[in-house]
Amino acid sequence: MHITILTIFPEMFTSFLSESMIGRAIAQGLLTVDCVDLRPFSDRKHKNTDDDPFGGGAGMVMLAQPIVSAMESVAPGGEGARRIFLSPRGETLTQRKAESLAKEAHLVLLCGHYEGVDQRAIDLCIDEELSIGDYVLTGGEPAAMVLVDCIARLVPGVLGCADSAVDESFSSGLLEYPQYTRPRVFQGLSVPEVLLNGNHAEIVKWRRREALRITRERRPDLLAGVELTEAERGMMAEWDAENDER
Ligand code: SAH
């Protein structure tokens, strides 16, 4: 998978791309990420990349020209690339969306700044707008990092163990069950007995039950998209009845 990031602050990505899992994935060649500085693409004398908004108002707007020129240089005609503008107006990123983007060969991510980007750049060379949530950042760089991080861990080989991406929060449609590691007792709190006895079937059952319990408590909206067995439906009904009694 190849990702190109168009930004006026390429240095912001230096440690993000060199440390931890992302750093390792890049070192192993599972992922290539290029940060392309928009400034050199500006045809203005002082290489500006923004100007005042037509119609007035606060803040600056990023010029269309450097963006369109940079885009043409990294993905001519948009061939073979999915060109994404990180923007609070976009579709909200979800695990499903990340899974579908992880199948693309080349992603180009445009990071906005200031008040935003001249609409004509979006009209001319963006395939879709993507938001990382209902809040506003000062720039698209942190959003691009969130997207790269979330997609990278879905690229085969990036996570240590092939199935560690399978049964975690959101992949199964449920939030994740609680995790424990050594020691068995910490500050008087013990690890649930079932996790210590080596009975794999019991452990799977306990984890599924805990995932259902936590999802029901915190994000009941997610349950609508989850297939439940007859027994699980019964268990949930019992929990509901217990709740009603209280
Ligand atoms: N005036 C704009 C906000 C500009 S914020 C508006 O009201 O929509 C500056 C830049 O930060 C945006 O161009 C975008 O690239 C990025 N950004 C801000 N919030 C974001 C979010 N929730 N998701 C993705 N990108 C975001």
Side-chain angles (χ1 to χ4, degrees), residues 59-192:
M60 303 294 274
V61 173
M62 284 176 70
L63 300 169
Q65 179 274 317
I67 294 171
V68 171
S69 298
M71 199 59 98
E72 213 27 54
S73 142
V74 302
E79 277 308 301
R82 185 117 198 111
R83 300 163 300 175
I84 297 173
F85 172 42
L86 280 315
S87 150
R89 293 194 312 205
E91 173 189 344
T92 307
L93 177 64
T94 60
Q95 191 64 27
R96 295 283 163 277
K97 182 71 193 176
E99 282 161 10
S100 113
L101 291 175
K103 297 190 184 107
E104 298 281 342
H106 185 198
L107 295 177
V108 184
L109 310 182
L110 171 64
C111 304
H113 253 277
Y114 316 113
E115 269 314 296
V117 164
D118 187 311
Q119 182 61 38
R120 290 163 297 180
I122 301 169
D123 295 343
L124 286 168
C125 65
I126 290 297
D127 298 311
E128 70 178 300
E129 298 186 41
L130 206 59
S131 164
I132 62 160
D134 289 341
Y135 40 80
V136 183
L137 307 168
T138 61
E141 286 77 10
M145 289 183 211
V146 167
L147 183 58
V148 170
D149 194 277
C150 178
I151 290 173
R153 62 199 297 290
L154 297 170
V155 172
V158 170
L159 291 187
C161 168
D163 51 19
S164 44
V166 173
D167 68 313
E168 62 194 357
S169 293
F170 299 113
S171 292
S172 62
L174 296 174
L175 301 181
E176 200 184 48
Y177 47 80
Q179 299 272 18
Y180 298 89
T181 183
R182 292 183 183 83
R184 287 181 174 219
V185 181
F186 178 69
Q187 298 202 355
L189 300 177
S190 299
V191 174

Side-chain angles (χ1 to χ4, degrees), residues 26-81:
I26 292 172
Q28 290 175 345
L30 298 169
L31 183 70
T32 51
V33 184
D34 287 331
C35 292
V36 174
D37 190 353
L38 285 166
R39 263 177 235 280
F41 289 93
S42 173
D43 60 13
R44 297 221 178 162
K45 203 165 123 207
H46 299 292
K47 299 287 171 200
N48 311 22
T49 53
D50 58 84
D51 207 334
D52 300 318
F54 277 126
M60 303 294 274
V61 173
M62 284 176 70
L63 300 169
Q65 179 274 317
I67 294 171
V68 171
S69 298
M71 199 59 98
E72 213 27 54
S73 142
V74 302
E79 277 308 301

